[in-house]
Structure formats: C-alpha cells, structure tokens
Amino acid sequence: MQGTIDAFSYGAVTPLAAYIMACLGGALGLRCVVRSVFNEQSWKPGWLALGATSIGCGIWTMHFIAMIGFRVEETQIRYDVGLTVLSLAVAITVVGIGVFAVGYRGVDRRTLGIAGTVTGLGVAAMHYLGMAAMHMNGTIRYDTFTVALSVLIAVVAATSALWAAVSIHGFLPSLGASLIMGLAVSGMHYTGIAAVSVQLHTTPGDMWTGQSPTSLLLPMLIGPVVFLVLAGVVVMFDPLLLGDVETDRSGRRLGAIPRQASRTAPRAESLFEPPPPAARHAKDWQRSRAQHVQKW
C-alpha cells in the first residue's frame, strides 16, 4: 500500500521559514568569506571557519525546518538522533572544504569545479542522511531521475555560492546572491522530497524507535539558530564587513573599507584580529613617556 505524503502540512509557514534560514546562513557566510579574502590584515582561518559554519548551519536548519512540515498520513514518523546530528556535521564539513579551497586558492576553473562538486555532493548527502534518519511503518523509496536532478541542483548551487563568495564583494550584490542561494538550496530540498514515495508495511515493525519531530527537531534547531544569531552579531559589529571593497589604480583589491570612514582615518579593529601596529606603537610610546615623567 502506498503512503500519502504531504510536504506542506503547515502550509507556507515551513517552506518560508526554511528559505529565510537558508538565506540568513548564506548571507552571513558570504560576508565572512569576503572579509577573509579581500582584507589582508584579517585572520583568514577564523573568518573562513565562521563563514563555512554559517552556511552549513543555514542549509541544515533549512532542511529540518522544512521536514517539520513533512507528513505521511498513514503512519507516524520518528527520527534517529545519531543520524540527525551526523547530517549537521556533514553539512558544516563539506561546506568548509569548499570555502577553504576557494579562500586560499581562488576561483580558477579547476579549483571551483572540484570544490563545488565536493560541496554539492556533501549537501546532497546531508539531505539524504536527514531522510534516512526517519523511522516509520513503511519503506522509503526514491525515483532515480528526480534524485539525480536534486544532486545536480545541489552541485550547481554550491559552485555558484563558492564563486559568489570570492567574486562578489559589495554588500547589496552579496545580499542578492544569498537570496538566490537560498532559493537554490530550497529547490534542491523539495526536488529531493518530490523523489520520495513510501511503501507502507502491512504489520507494525520495530521502526518506532527514535524521537518525534517536535521533541527532537525543535530543540536541535535552537543551537544552529542561536549560532546564526551570534554570527550575525559578529558581522554587525565588525565595521569592515559592512563596507565595500576598494581597489587601487591598478585594479588590485585593497580590502573592505567602511562607507563613512576617511581615507586617512585609522583602520578599525576587528573582532578577529589584533590592534594595528600603529595603534600598538602609539600605546608603547605613551607608556614609555609616562614612565620617563615619573622618573624625573
């Protein structure tokens, strides 16, 4: 007997909330990567790690918010905790591989192709790990062509996001790229859902172990959502992240500069880097002068 699948049991609430989280993670991640690539004074590993984790958390949060609205009318659904946590780790790891690759090697065709493919396959693996975490009184089956299409969408979305991360440096263009990225990730998810069919079991089995969607997914979503909020705070309070990237006369990018900052003003300190050398030297001079005055 075929199960009746409803991926929108809460109407437009879950897909809209999922899309917003994917866009938020993408926007924060892209700005962090821009910060690491176009400012030579920044601590590149820290910003790349923050960007990768933001994008990975955004994708994972998008998936499981959307899964809250997934129902099979003839059976209850439970989730395996271990596979659910593993899917989060996979999302962050594969995005990190791609982000660090383009962050250090640039976006030449070979690097972008390999990094985008690995990241896209990893995002698809995260999605299907999340699907495999479901326990129900039935067997999940997939349409091969639709699954292949969802994987292709994931690879294209990942490649485009990695290209945008090091090629688009203005705030508004990055925001537009994150909106498109969120749409692509959501499209991959619902394409994968369209591939699903459920063959119900005639007798109850032992697949009722695990946690219900509300008891597992809602508490687990709190952690990534809080992280994205904290990452957003870091972005908001780092002045160089909100500025555009300036170039010199030869066209070489110099780094992000706050919109309102003067060209002769001292560079603002970032949360991920030490004070500039000039500021440290000024403090040392003031300290030595004070000691000299006290001596005499």
Side-chain angles (χ1 to χ4, degrees), residues 44-56:
K44 179 172 284 191
W47 285 108
L48 291 177
L50 182 62
T53 307
S54 297
I55 296 174

Side-chain angles (χ1 to χ4, degrees), residues 141-264:
R141 296 178 178 176
Y142 295 96
D143 177 73
T144 303
F145 174 79
T146 312
V147 168
L149 180 60
S150 70
V151 173
L152 178 62
I153 294 174
V155 171
V156 172
T159 304
S160 301
L162 294 176
W163 173 84
V166 294
S167 302
I168 298 177
H169 49 80
F171 179 76
L172 291 180
S174 293
L175 180 61
S178 67
L179 296 177
I180 297 174
M181 178 180 170
L183 184 63
V185 172
S186 298
M188 180 275 296
H189 172 85
Y190 285 106
T191 301
I193 293 297
V196 172
S197 62
V198 176
Q199 185 67 35
L200 298 174
H201 296 159
T202 56
T203 57
D206 59 351
M207 57 282 299
W208 297 105
T209 59
Q211 303 293 320
S212 66
T214 53
S215 64
L216 174 66
L217 297 184
L218 289 179
M220 285 196 65
L221 287 170
I222 293 175
V225 170
V226 169
F227 172 82
L228 290 175
V229 171
L230 293 177
V233 171
V234 172
V235 170
M236 290 174 59
F237 283 92
D238 188 84
L240 296 184
L241 268 172
L242 300 178
D244 290 328
V245 176
E246 188 173 272
T247 57
D248 61 12
R249 295 180 180 179
S250 64
R252 183 174 64 88
R253 293 183 174 91
L254 298 175
I257 296 180
R259 295 179 183 274
Q260 303 300 326
S262 169
R263 291 181 180 273
T264 59

